Amino acid sequence: MARPVIGVIGNARLIDSRFPAQIVGENNMRAVAAVAGALPLMFAAVPAITDLGDLLDTVDGVLLTGGRANVHPARFNTEPCAAHEPYDEDRDAVALPLIEACVAGGVPLFGICRGFQEMNVAFGGSLHPEIRDLPGRLNHRMPRLANGEIHPDLELIFADRHEVRLTPGGAFARLLERETIRVNSLHGQGILEPGGRIVVEGVAEDGTVEAIRVRDAAGFALGVQWHAEHDPATNPINRTLFEAFGAAAATRHRARTAGRG
């Protein structure tokens, strides 16, 4: 039987400062292929290119990846600020209605970092552009050198940085079979107010929301603030999440295949 197909959302980039492109980090594709057991299929986060109906007729799950750009503040009734750019409004225009469609249609959905934040905004939640500016919060951004440059050691950048306390008896605690985990941290923006259907299931030691699910979703609909795609082959927490996502996509694939017969 053919593997399930998981759509992986793209991010806008300018190549050589002039050629528009859509890109996806290879770690996302490897996690889908090697751990979720699915075929990764990148799709453009551009409304003029990607028809959501056609996309959902093609894929068995959707992975909303992290990205350099922040969700535009207008999406949660806040004024934009140049200090918090870049924004990717095309991705906003694709991701937010796509999230609602996936949840309504039972299409497995896994949000990572920006994808996690998009899930919150899609259901009416808000974001803070710099979590570290809130009283008592940690600096959740990636490590940098003393001169401000990004640290050259990827293992240090993606190393576990803090604990996350999971809701006892919640979806994450049941899936991971524990109530405390350690995760990496590479984000500036984060959840301020949870959306109406967003259930907070994991919180960092400083109160930052780290794990969510969508209430009454028709299928798998989980999001994490950390970069779970970095090391799922060796990290048992991230492996379990991608395996569960892949299993949900496989179940949908079997149902869709049987329906064609």
Side-chain angles (χ1 to χ4, degrees):
M1 182 183 70
R3 289 184 293 168
V5 176
I6 289 179
V8 184
I9 196 167
N11 286 292
R13 281 289 190 278
L14 277 181
I15 305 298
D16 292 337
S17 301
R18 50 183 169 168
F19 301 112
Q22 290 281 305
I23 69 166
V24 165
E26 189 172 307
N27 280 347
N28 295 285
M29 311 294 253
R30 289 185 179 276
V32 167
V35 183
L39 176 68
L41 180 68
M42 193 199 92
F43 63 91
V46 181
I49 297 174
T50 297
D51 180 274
L52 297 189
D54 289 344
L55 174 67
L56 294 181
D57 284 343
T58 302
V59 303
D60 301 295
V62 170
L63 177 64
L64 298 171
T65 67
R68 172 70 181 86
N70 285 329
V71 177
H72 197 281
R75 294 288 182 171
F76 43 94
N77 301 315
T78 301
E79 289 297 316
C81 173
H84 303 136
E85 295 176 357
Y87 301 120
D88 186 347
E89 294 187 69
D90 275 345
R91 173 159 166 168
D92 298 343
V94 170
L96 300 186
L98 176 59
I99 289 165
E100 295 183 89
C102 285
V103 169
V107 179
L109 177 70
F110 188 24
I112 291 176
C113 201
R114 178 187 162 109
F116 158 96
Q117 295 163 7
E118 289 167 335
M119 290 173 69
N120 187 55
V121 173
F123 291 104
S126 63
L127 305 174
H128 192 281
E130 279 293 351
I131 287 293
R132 62 183 174 178
D133 290 345
L134 293 173
R137 298 297 181 93
L138 302 171
N139 181 359
H140 286 258
R141 287 191 174 273
M142 69 174 67
R144 292 179 179 268
L145 299 174
N147 63 5
E149 293 180 2
I150 294 172
H151 201 286
D153 185 346
L154 285 180
E155 289 307 312
L156 188 147
I157 285 176
F158 285 97
D160 290 344
R161 299 259 305 280
H162 61 73
E163 289 189 348
V164 173
R165 298 183 301 277
L166 303 176
T167 300
F172 280 87
R174 294 196 306 272
L175 183 61
L176 300 173
E177 298 182 329
R178 63 191 76 189
E179 293 181 1
T180 303
I181 59 176
R182 286 190 64 81
V183 302
N184 58 42
S185 188
L186 294 90
H187 66 101
Q189 187 164 263
I191 289 179
L192 184 60
E193 294 292 336
R197 291 183 63 182
I198 295 299
V199 179
V200 175
E201 290 220 351
V203 180
E205 55 220 57
D206 67 345
T208 298
V209 178
E210 294 278 341
I212 59 174
R213 67 175 171 87
V214 180
R215 179 182 290 109
D216 300 326
F220 185 104
L222 302 181
V224 298
Q225 181 61 84
W226 68 90
H227 281 265
E229 84 284 2
H230 169 62
D231 57 355
T234 57
N235 182 306
I237 300 302
N238 298 334
R239 171 176 282 279
T240 299
L241 291 171
F242 268 97
E243 286 178 340
F245 178 44
T251 298
R252 177 174 171 79
H253 178 72
R254 286 192 295 270
R256 294 200 314 130
T257 302
R260 294 191 195 106

